[in-house]
Amino acid sequence: MRKFLVVLASIVTTVSLLLAILIFALSFFLKGGFTFQFANQVNQQTVTEYLEKTDSLDSFYQAAEEEGISREKMDDILNQPEVKDYVGGVLQEVINSNLEEDGMLDEEKISELTKEFYDKALEKEDLVLSPGAKERLENFTTSYIVDEVEPNLTEAQTENKVISTITPFLQQILQPNTRSVLIAISIIGMIVIFVLTIKERRFFHYYSSIALFLMVFFLGCSVLSHIASTFLKGQGTISIGQILVPLYQTGYLITVVLFITFILFFLLNYFIERHQDLKEMVPF
């Protein structure tokens, strides 16, 4: 009976830890790594292509020209490295809003990102605008993001059956409470294993087995996503292969941490068992 309970506790602990780590990795991917890799591929061409697709390119250039910025200068601004950070920040806010239950985009945050972008971009181009002109340009860009870009992205997600189906699920599992519950279950499971195996001093044996299973699982997932990234690199304007990079990088990092944990538990188990053997051989 005790053996059965130990195995059951080990399975529950393994599953809860697996889910907790997966949620952590998914959270990092959706709330950081994904947007960084996506934005890293953005340039003046991809921005103007999007503006053309949404019939907004002319109005965007017109707003800039009204404030004394020529089309050529605006193209130069859109081709600066800062535009990658700006697009990444905006995309991150859109993703965050869709993962929140209220689904509200933080307009104040978008306004801050826009102001920061124009501060850097105008300084690099040696363009000096009056405070009023700069504010009008920032307001136009912020309004465009809030009124045009965000609804378009949200509509695209809604029309995509896969995304619209998994979004409520992601909203639920990415809540802090979900991770807290899984971590609590893992801790309880490890305590149960400790209590049931303290007599034989075998708890580190089970802990190392759990770490080994998780390490192999994440190593396999990382290798598969790395292979997929290699094959999908360079396909399309926004490379899916590049977007997968933070996914397998995070997986490799988790694998290394689990490997160190496994070695630690394995050595502790070895020394305890060695000590037990010595005690049996020399009982005094």
Side-chain angles (χ1 to χ4, degrees), residues 2-282:
R2 181 185 295 180
K3 181 74 172 176
F4 170 76
L5 290 176
V6 172
V7 172
L8 181 61
S10 299
I11 293 172
V12 171
T13 303
T14 302
V15 172
S16 57
L17 279 173
L18 176 63
L19 292 176
I21 297 172
L22 281 172
I23 289 173
F24 163 78
L26 182 63
S27 177
F28 172 79
F29 179 65
L30 291 176
K31 297 187 175 184
F34 168 78
T35 53
F36 174 78
Q37 288 296 334
F38 182 94
N40 199 40
Q41 301 169 74
V42 171
N43 53 34
Q44 184 267 337
Q45 181 184 354
T46 53
V47 172
T48 53
E49 282 178 358
Y50 178 82
L51 292 171
E52 284 177 344
K53 189 192 295 186
T54 56
D55 297 323
S56 307
L57 185 60
D58 288 336
S59 59
F60 199 86
Y61 278 132
Q62 183 179 348
E65 286 176 339
E66 287 176 0
E67 307 305 338
I69 302 176
S70 66
R71 291 193 172 211
E72 292 75 16
K73 274 293 182 184
M74 182 51 74
D75 283 340
D76 291 339
I77 289 174
L78 294 177
N79 210 26
Q80 289 182 8
E82 283 74 14
V83 79
K84 301 177 189 295
D85 295 332
Y86 179 60
V87 171
V90 169
L91 181 61
Q92 188 62 73
E93 289 303 315
V94 173
I95 290 175
N96 289 346
S97 68
N98 279 275
L99 292 177
E100 295 294 331
E101 291 186 1
D102 59 12
M104 296 294 293
L105 182 65
D106 189 344
E107 187 171 345
E108 186 176 337
K109 182 64 177 176
I110 298 296
S111 180
E112 290 175 6
L113 290 169
T114 304
K115 183 179 184 307
E116 183 180 348
F117 166 67
Y118 277 118
D119 284 343
K120 293 178 179 178
L122 293 175
E123 183 180 356
K124 267 198 169 183
E125 292 297 323
D126 292 324
L127 288 173
V128 180
L129 300 181
S130 67
K134 182 171 174 291
E135 185 178 352
R136 285 191 295 273
L137 187 59
E138 290 169 357
N139 290 340
F140 174 84
T141 307
T142 299
S143 298
Y144 174 74
I145 297 294
V146 174
D147 299 334
E148 300 290 339
V149 176
E150 194 274 338
N152 285 341
L153 291 175
T154 302
E155 184 181 355
Q157 291 177 0
T158 304
E159 291 176 354
N160 187 305
K161 291 184 179 180
V162 175
I163 295 178
S164 61
T165 301
I166 66 172
T167 297
F169 174 70
L170 291 175
Q171 288 174 343
Q172 187 61 41
I173 67 171
L174 291 177
Q175 294 298 316
N177 289 342
T178 305
R179 277 171 284 186
S180 299
V181 168
L182 288 171
I183 292 171
I185 292 172
S186 303
I187 293 172
I188 292 170
M190 294 182 76
I191 293 173
V192 170
I193 293 170
F194 179 83
V195 170
L196 293 175
T197 60
I198 184 67
K199 205 169 185 180
E200 300 88 1
R201 306 286 196 275
R202 296 274 289 168
F203 40 88
F204 282 124
H205 168 77
Y206 289 98
Y207 293 166
S208 62
S209 299
I210 292 171
L212 178 62
F213 174 83
L214 293 174
M215 181 188 73
V216 171
F217 176 85
F218 281 101
L219 178 61
C221 291
S222 302
V223 170
L224 288 175
S225 58
H226 197 161
I227 293 171
S229 172
T230 303
F231 277 107
L232 294 172
K233 226 168 230 184
Q235 294 187 14
T237 306
I238 301 299
S239 168
I240 298 174
Q242 281 296 110
I243 292 173
L244 287 175
V245 169
L247 196 61
Y248 70 71
Q249 286 179 339
T250 305
Y252 284 140
L253 178 61
I254 293 171
T255 301
V256 170
V257 173
L258 289 169
F259 175 73
I260 295 171
T261 305
F262 164 71
I263 294 297
L264 177 64
F265 285 153
F266 180 83
L267 290 175
L268 288 170
N269 180 67
Y270 172 79
F271 288 126
I272 289 175
E273 288 187 348
R274 182 69 175 165
H275 179 69
Q276 287 293 102
D277 292 340
L278 290 173
K279 281 187 68 176
E280 290 175 5
M281 292 172 62
V282 188

